[in-house]
Amino acid sequence: MAKWQALIFDVDGTLADTERDGHRVAFNRAFQEAGLDWDWSVELYGKLLAVTGGKERMRYYLDQFRRDWPQPADLTEMIAQLHKAKTKHYTELLATGAIPLRPGVQRLLSEARTAGYGLAIATTTTPANVTALLEHTLGPDSIGWFEVIAAGDIVPAKKPAPDIYHYALGEMNLPPEECLAFEDSENGLISAQKARLTTVVTVNGYTQNHDFSGATLVLDCLGEPEQPFQVLAGNPQGRTYFNLDLCQALPRS
Ligand code: XBP
Ligand code: MG
């Protein structure tokens, strides 16, 4: 009996390295289009990623870094409009193929599907961003590979709250102990752990120094047969890339 019934994937930073050259660029294009002097450098964006959710992140930016900027009475509406524009820019960026899947992601998804695992997504990002990423990297049919795409505002509290994972588990009607989560950030790991999920982390440029205590495995990426992963924490039990063999050998945390 397979130990895990389903694999639940975070999106940004996990399926693809979307933040620096994707979301950040889209935010800046939306700011410029709106005639704002807001410009999120690679370094500043790394600080802003402490807050999940693009709308919440813009508010955090104003509160923490732009106390000089006079906030209008209809700030909520303004942020909503900016976020809509940003999402348009982001999905257009994805359509150019600018953001590929990370190593091992397509292979693992395909192996899991063939082996009959359930697949799910649990992300803070906007649903349109998820479908655009899947469409432009795996083709339009790939959206149907996932039993549930739990994304964005569908839950009241974003990561590190566990809400989005609770929602995904509920939709699949599976207990957390039968599901394995894949994340890239400390906020994401905390969210999955609060939902009592065993979690594998693949770090990226923005998250490599985060605290991943309690993750079952911390890797630089899922790897490929000809592109071994680097193990930052945990026991890969002699494997050099993440496949279903290793998946089933992982201890439940
Ligand atoms: C990452 C996020 C998102 C994206 C931006 O989500 O926190 O907010 O940075 O997307 P995850 P939106 O790692 O959970 O996939 O602007 O649509 O929020
Ligand atoms: Mg992430």
Side-chain angles (χ1 to χ4, degrees):
M1 156 80 157
K3 185 184 287 181
W4 314 106
Q5 298 308 306
L7 307 182
I8 309 177
F9 292 88
D10 163 57
V11 174
D12 294 303
T14 301
L15 290 186
D17 206 349
T18 56
E19 294 291 359
R20 190 193 65 188
D21 300 333
H23 289 296
R24 182 185 67 86
V25 172
F27 276 112
N28 286 335
R29 287 181 183 168
F31 300 154
Q32 202 175 18
E33 200 172 57
L36 294 165
D37 69 348
W38 308 357
D39 181 43
W40 289 356
S41 68
V42 171
E43 188 195 355
L44 172 60
Y45 193 65
K47 294 179 184 146
L48 298 177
L49 279 172
V51 171
T52 62
K55 296 188 288 292
E56 296 80 354
R57 190 167 301 141
M58 284 187 267
R59 216 174 257 281
Y60 176 66
Y61 165 66
L62 293 176
D63 294 346
Q64 296 299 316
F65 298 90
R66 292 301 305 266
R67 292 221 175 87
D68 62 301
W69 192 80
Q71 296 190 9
D74 62 347
L75 180 63
T76 301
E77 176 55 23
M78 179 187 165
I79 283 179
Q81 290 308 317
L82 277 171
H83 195 249
K84 218 163 127 200
K86 173 263 173 181
T87 300
K88 179 178 73 68
H89 287 294
Y90 180 70
T91 51
E92 284 169 0
L93 248 174
L94 291 177
T96 68
I99 311 277
L101 293 180
R102 296 192 66 189
V105 168
Q106 180 158 3
R107 173 184 52 74
L108 182 63
L109 288 174
S110 161
E111 287 170 2
R113 287 185 70 224
T114 306
Y117 284 70
L119 292 176
I121 278 175
T123 175
T124 303
T125 198
T126 303
N129 295 343
V130 184
T131 47
L133 179 69
L134 293 175
E135 258 173 58
H136 298 304
T137 54
L138 295 168
D141 293 350
S142 63
I143 294 165
W145 298 356
F146 299 87
E147 285 180 51
V148 56
I149 296 181
D153 296 331
I154 202 161
V155 289
K158 292 187 166 77
K159 299 174 184 177
D163 300 38
I164 200 74
Y165 278 106
H166 285 153
Y167 179 88
L169 289 166
E171 289 296 299
M172 291 191 292
N173 193 23
L174 284 174
E177 55 271 19
E178 292 182 7
C179 301
L180 185 62
F182 294 81
E183 271 287 353
D184 75 298
S185 68
E186 190 171 340
N187 277 332
L189 173 61
I190 293 169
S191 175
Q193 286 175 324
K194 282 182 177 173
R196 302 199 343 270
L197 284 158
T198 301
T199 307
V200 172
V201 170
T202 51
V203 304
N204 55 63
Y206 276 130
T207 69
Q208 57 194 355
N209 299 319
H210 283 192
D211 177 0
F212 293 120
S213 311
T216 292
L217 209 47
V218 183
L219 307 168
D220 67 328
C221 68
L222 292 176
E224 296 287 9
E226 71 287 350
Q227 183 192 342
F229 51 40
Q230 263 192 24
V231 180
L232 307 175
N235 177 2
Q237 308 197 30
R239 275 74 173 194
T240 60
Y241 63 96
F242 195 95
N243 61 5
L244 294 180
D245 244 2
L246 174 49
C247 193
Q248 287 305 336
L250 289 177
R252 284 208 173 97
S253 51

